[in-house]
Amino acid sequence: MAALTVSVLVPMAASVQAGAANPAHVEQLETTRACYACDLSGADLSQMHLIGADLREADLSGANLMEVNLEGADLAGANLNGANLTDAFLTNASFRDADLTDVNLTQAKLYFVNVEGATLSDIDLTRAEVVGTPISVGGN
């Protein structure tokens, strides 16, 4: 019976870790502001200053990016599905070909953001400031 208990607990432990940010990648981002194709899914990156950060192809799905400064950051091809960017500062950031499905951009500042080819489904732009960025409420 003990062997059965162990074999049941191991798969459960593995499923808890699925989708969790890689701690080494979080540390790399904090120290270098460069984390190409990193796993930052579900990470708490709130209030970080990531000015000019290289986050191309990074997995930021479900990440907490509240009040983060991503001025000039490159997030081309990144997965931000379900990420929280409430009150984020995104001046001159690039989200080219990124997945922004279900992203919360409440009160975010989007000034001259590149969203060419990005998936922009179900985003929340409540009280967001959008200037020089081809995102609008409504339409097709």
Side-chain angles (χ1 to χ4, degrees), residues 92-109:
N92 297 314
S94 176
F95 289 96
R96 185 179 180 145
D97 299 320
D99 183 357
L100 299 171
T101 302
D102 200 30
V103 169
N104 185 352
L105 291 164
T106 299
Q107 295 182 306
K109 283 87 175 148

Side-chain angles (χ1 to χ4, degrees), residues 46-76:
S46 59
Q47 300 182 340
M48 288 184 72
H49 293 279
L50 299 173
I51 299 166
D54 180 2
L55 288 163
R56 292 172 295 139
E57 305 292 331
D59 183 358
L60 290 152
S61 57
N64 179 2
L65 296 160
M66 290 180 66
E67 300 177 2
V68 71
N69 185 341
L70 287 165
E71 180 177 2
D74 190 350
L75 292 102

Side-chain angles (χ1 to χ4, degrees), residues 13-64:
S15 68
V16 170
Q17 293 298 322
N22 181 327
H25 290 175
V26 174
E27 183 177 340
Q28 176 183 337
L29 178 62
E30 289 174 338
T31 58
T32 69
R33 279 191 251 152
C35 210
Y36 176 81
C38 283
D39 178 6
L40 301 166
S41 58
D44 183 0
L45 306 174
S46 59
Q47 300 182 340
M48 288 184 72
H49 293 279
L50 299 173
I51 299 166
D54 180 2
L55 288 163
R56 292 172 295 139
E57 305 292 331
D59 183 358
L60 290 152
S61 57
N64 179 2

